[in-house]
Amino acid sequence: MKNTRNFCIIAHIDHGKSTLADRLLQMTGTIADRDMQAQNLDDMDLERERGITIKSKAIQMNYSLNGEQYVLNLIDTPGHVDFSYEVSRSIAACEGALLIVDATQGIQAQTISNLYLALEHDLEIIPILNKMDLASANPEEVKDQIVDLIGCKREDILAASGKTGLGVDKVLEEIVHRIPAPKGDPAAPLQALIFDSVFNSFRGIVAYFRVMNGTLRKGDKVKFFNTGVVYDADEIGVLKMDLLPRSPLSAGDVGYIISGIKTASEVKVGDTITHMERPCAEAIHGFEDVKPMVWAGIFPVDTAEYEELRDAMEKLKLNDASLTWTPESSAALGFGFRCGFLGLLHMEIIQERIEREFGITVITTVPNVGYVVTKTNGEVVDVHNPTELPPVMHIDHIQEPYIKAQIITKSEYIGTIMTLCIEKRGILTGQNYLTTDRVELHFELPLGEVVFDFFDKLKSISRGYASFDYHPIGFKESDLIKLDILLNGEKVDALSALIHRDHAHELGKKMCGKLKELLPRQQFDIPIQAAIGAKIVARETVKALRKDVTAKCYGGDISRKRKLLEKQKEGKKRMRSVGSVEIPQEAFLAVLKLD
């Protein structure tokens, strides 16, 4: 046990975590040079295409220093704010963390928030300056920022380059010297924390765990603490590039267990594994249940695929514990699910994974946040969907969730960023200069305003420099109303939105304009209206395709033409009353991208 080290890698998005992890794997000989490829631990197609890490990955490396053999368990973590939940799980299973900072960009918002997560768990932090091979690297200034942030000595900061492999051997040595060996008693009752799980179509569910106390052997009868279900440990082992069977695993080890579990609901991430005969006294307090930030409906395009979509959702929930869902039905789209996500990127990734991994085409409705409505009779209801909103006369007031946002940017962009936040009904609560040209701004913002396009706008006005991180601070009362979209006089519930009164007119106008571009023309006029209650605030019309009925009348009396036109007009009127309007999937998605 004294030669085991468990550590994770934390950093802001795109500071070079996965590349550095590749070098560590290469230097310890965990992966052969011929199998080497960029971003080895990112095994999802989506991760490689976008160049981001979505899932945290665990892998074991063997390393020898001064004639002694060490076992290093590395957990690579994502850097995007939407996946900070993955980071919190990895941190719960480690004793140390490599804090990677890009020497060209300096400290960013997500670096700070992940660092605080690690400090709360008393992890040993090793600061590393990455990308030192670049000509634009600014090591002295970034070192000052790290010293200010952690309070370490300048000589404790390691210089490295994941791309060229510079300084990686020093990083491995420091992991052995600085990160403490895991504590725990191999003779105590078994206590192991599940920090991830994946579904394998042949073996059932594979759960990844970290043993805190006790020893686990192949064939033991184990019990899952929260669900109370008992299984046989059919196979246990360690995580190399593939699963490698090994028994026993004792305190401090990270490994996997296969016990023939078939149903996804029986494995909870954060649960404790213990022995059936000699159970531990209490579960491990690892991390709390995740709270979704954004809600959206996911519906199959073909309603016959509803059951397949349900299976897909269950398997995804296994792989991504931060996804929550409940069944719902919609008048426009049929049966589907109301899903809770951590953010818009998370929602986009889940939608793409359903389409790629399970081959089901889905429609996603307009995302919104959860509101708390107090009715006139004093009853309080949670509303995750605009269609659940009680009638206006029964509402006393509505509260919406607020977040505290932390934005780090270059000082030249302060003006435009403040304008953006104030447009989004934000309140500036503080600002402080980190260096002469880098400033940290704190805002209180309504989460509903941030959900749509805030992140994209922030990046474009600051030329990609500003970084953004947030956490919820509770609910505040707001003047919110429900905006309905009517097509041909009928409400489309999937396009309804809860919105602040000041923005309703403008958004209604934009949505009508966008739908006019996207709806295919029919044989009759289609009015598109945006309404608040019974009041119409915006309108557009998709003109009818007209057959030229007067083509055969050349010359002659005008009354002949008029008679044909009147007859056509009557037909159009009748058609409009029975005609139904098909909404293409692009229309639902385009509403998200209104500028």
Side-chain angles (χ1 to χ4, degrees):
M1 197 162 108
K2 71 180 197 324
N3 286 8
T4 304
R5 301 286 182 272
N6 297 322
F7 67 99
C8 60
I9 299 185
I10 54 177
H12 189 77
I13 188 167
D14 210 19
H15 278 207
K17 295 178 298 304
S18 300
T19 318
L20 194 77
D22 286 350
R23 291 293 86 74
L24 292 172
L25 294 178
Q26 205 173 4
M27 285 209 148
T28 52
T30 309
I31 185 166
D33 286 348
R34 61 178 181 173
D35 297 329
M36 198 67 202
Q37 52 176 349
Q39 287 174 282
N40 258 298
L41 293 178
D42 295 351
D43 50 13
M44 225 184 287
D45 294 344
L46 265 175
E47 293 181 312
R48 291 173 178 276
E49 281 165 30
R50 290 174 179 240
I52 56 175
T53 306
I54 295 168
K55 285 285 301 162
S56 44
K57 305 284 184 315
I59 189 159
Q60 189 182 88
M61 303 180 283
N62 295 77
Y63 175 62
S64 59
L65 180 68
N66 305 335
E68 276 210 54
Q69 288 292 327
Y70 291 90
V71 171
L72 310 180
N73 289 310
L74 153 72
I75 303 180
D76 179 27
T77 62
H80 195 282
V81 57
D82 278 14
F83 302 114
S84 53
Y85 177 64
E86 291 277 331
V87 183
S88 71
R89 302 201 329 229
S90 309
I91 285 173
C94 293
E95 277 85 31
L98 305 184
L99 175 74
I100 296 183
V101 181
D102 184 335
T104 60
Q105 294 180 46
I107 283 177
Q108 308 268 309
Q110 195 61 30
T111 318
I112 295 178
S113 78
N114 285 345
L115 174 73
Y116 287 156
L117 268 177
L119 290 173
E120 275 171 29
H121 283 78
D122 291 336
L123 299 197
E124 178 64 38
I125 309 284
I126 301 180
I128 298 172
L129 269 187
N130 198 15
K131 306 195 183 179
M132 286 294 281
D133 57 314
L134 296 180
S136 55
N138 193 349
E140 292 313 311
E141 193 180 308
V142 180
K143 273 185 185 175
D144 290 341
Q145 293 174 20
I146 295 176
V147 171
D148 286 350
L149 182 67
I150 319 180
C152 62
K153 299 192 185 80
R154 283 178 78 87
E155 53 271 20
D156 288 349
I157 301 170
L158 306 178
S161 161
K163 195 171 174 187
T164 60
L166 163 88
V168 177
D169 46 351
K170 185 80 178 122
V171 172
L172 284 164
E173 282 176 33
E174 292 300 313
I175 289 170
V176 170
H177 292 318
R178 290 200 217 171
I179 294 177
K183 296 179 179 65
D185 178 4
L190 176 69
Q191 215 182 12
L193 173 76
I194 299 179
F195 64 87
D196 206 355
S197 55
V198 290
F199 184 79
N200 180 321
S201 44
F202 301 107
R203 319 275 322 254
I205 289 160
V206 184
Y208 297 157
F209 62 86
R210 150 82 202 267
V211 185
M212 297 299 185
N213 285 307
T215 304
L216 175 64
R217 290 181 175 77
K218 187 179 173 178
D220 283 356
K221 274 215 176 327
V222 292
K223 183 172 98 172
F224 286 38
F225 215 88
N226 287 346
T227 51
V229 197
V230 178
Y231 291 105
D232 289 327
D234 295 340
E235 183 184 306
I236 61 169
V238 293
L239 304 152
K240 293 283 191 179
M241 282 312 279
D242 294 314
L243 305 178
L244 182 71
R246 181 180 296 168
S247 177
L249 294 176
S250 61
D253 284 332
V254 173
Y256 70 91
I257 178 168
I258 298 176
S259 45
I261 308 171
K262 290 285 186 283
T263 44
S265 55
E266 288 178 22
V267 177
K268 272 200 169 69
V269 168
D271 201 351
T272 304
I273 305 176
T274 186
H275 275 132
M276 170 71 189
E277 286 91 36
R278 197 173 146 217
C280 56
E282 55 173 20
I284 300 163
H285 301 298
F287 33 88
E288 67 293 334
D289 266 353
V290 63
K291 295 176 186 64
M293 293 283 190
V294 179
W295 300 83
I298 288 188
F299 295 86
V301 171
D302 175 5
T303 42
E305 290 182 332
Y306 174 72
E307 283 303 322
E308 287 162 44
L309 182 60
R310 178 189 280 274
D311 287 348
M313 293 297 241
E314 283 192 351
K315 285 176 187 165
L316 274 180
K317 175 143 177 66
L318 242 190
N319 200 266
D320 180 350
S322 51
L323 172 71
T324 54
W325 51 272
T326 49
E328 77 160 353
S329 64
S330 144
L333 301 169
F335 291 103
F337 298 96
R338 191 93 201 144
C339 304
F341 305 100
L342 297 181
L344 275 197
L345 177 71
H346 186 206
M347 173 177 133
E348 211 178 302
I349 296 288
I350 290 288
Q351 190 187 339
E352 279 208 33
R353 285 183 68 182
I354 290 173
E355 296 190 356
R356 286 185 183 201
E357 294 173 25
F358 304 97
I360 303 168
T361 319
V362 292
I363 290 178
T364 315
T365 63
V366 182
N368 61 299
V369 297
Y371 299 93
V372 175
V373 179
T374 307
K375 294 164 82 169
T376 43
N377 62 3
E379 190 189 338
V380 178
V381 282
D382 285 345
V383 173
H384 295 311
N385 188 348
T387 48
E388 296 167 3
L389 199 70
V392 182
M393 53 277 197
H394 295 163
I395 296 175
D396 182 48
H397 63 268
I398 304 177
Q399 290 174 305
E400 62 174 339
Y402 266 69
I403 58 167
K404 191 177 178 84
Q406 176 194 35
I407 298 170
I408 295 181
T409 177
K410 288 205 160 179
S411 48
E412 64 211 68
Y413 305 120
I414 291 180
T416 47
I417 287 175
M418 281 191 177
T419 314
L420 171 71
C421 292
I422 289 161
E423 269 173 18
K424 299 278 186 190
R425 302 190 280 129
I427 305 157
L428 179 70
T429 55
Q431 74 179 67
N432 56 336
Y433 279 83
L434 301 171
T435 61
T436 47
D437 68 334
R438 284 166 66 82
V439 67
E440 180 181 21
L441 301 169
H442 290 276
F443 280 94
E444 282 186 10
L445 286 155
L447 180 61
E449 297 281 347
V450 176
V451 160
F452 275 99
D453 52 0
F454 181 80
F455 196 59
D456 299 345
K457 278 189 176 166
L458 180 70
K459 283 290 183 197
S460 56
I461 60 177
S462 66
R463 304 201 185 133
Y465 270 112
S467 62
F468 169 69
D469 185 46
Y470 64 83
H471 58 266
I473 52 170
F475 286 80
K476 289 188 185 178
E477 196 175 320
S478 290
D479 184 12
L480 298 166
I481 46 174
K482 183 175 161 197
L483 182 75
D484 286 313
I485 299 291
L486 288 79
L487 285 186
N488 204 3
E490 284 180 23
K491 280 185 189 174
V492 181
D493 59 352
L495 290 174
S496 298
L498 268 177
I499 187 158
H500 196 267
R501 195 180 293 274
D502 299 350
H503 300 293
H505 190 257
E506 187 190 343
L507 183 82
K509 208 169 164 184
K510 280 184 184 169
M511 282 173 91
C512 290
K514 197 75 177 173
L515 286 167
K516 184 184 177 180
E517 292 168 23
L518 291 165
L519 286 181
R521 288 170 69 185
Q522 305 280 358
Q523 293 286 335
F524 51 93
D525 281 3
I526 308 171
I528 304 168
Q529 295 161 311
I532 297 167
K535 182 184 172 194
I536 304 291
V537 292
R539 170 179 170 135
E540 294 281 353
T541 310
V542 178
K543 283 294 180 199
L545 290 165
R546 239 185 95 228
K547 185 176 164 193
D548 189 1
V549 286
T550 59
K552 61 187 180 186
C553 303
Y554 43 92
D557 190 21
I558 185 72
S559 59
R560 287 178 62 202
K561 287 188 178 180
R562 193 163 289 143
K563 182 181 156 195
L564 288 167
L565 288 169
E566 287 296 325
K567 193 174 166 191
Q568 184 188 31
K569 196 172 166 187
E570 282 301 309
K572 293 262 181 232
K573 207 169 176 183
R574 196 166 66 246
M575 195 187 272
R576 188 180 145 188
S577 63
V578 295
S580 65
V581 183
E582 281 285 309
I583 307 175
Q585 190 186 353
E586 294 82 67
F588 291 104
L589 298 176
V591 175
L592 313 183
K593 299 191 169 69
L594 291 172
D595 15 321

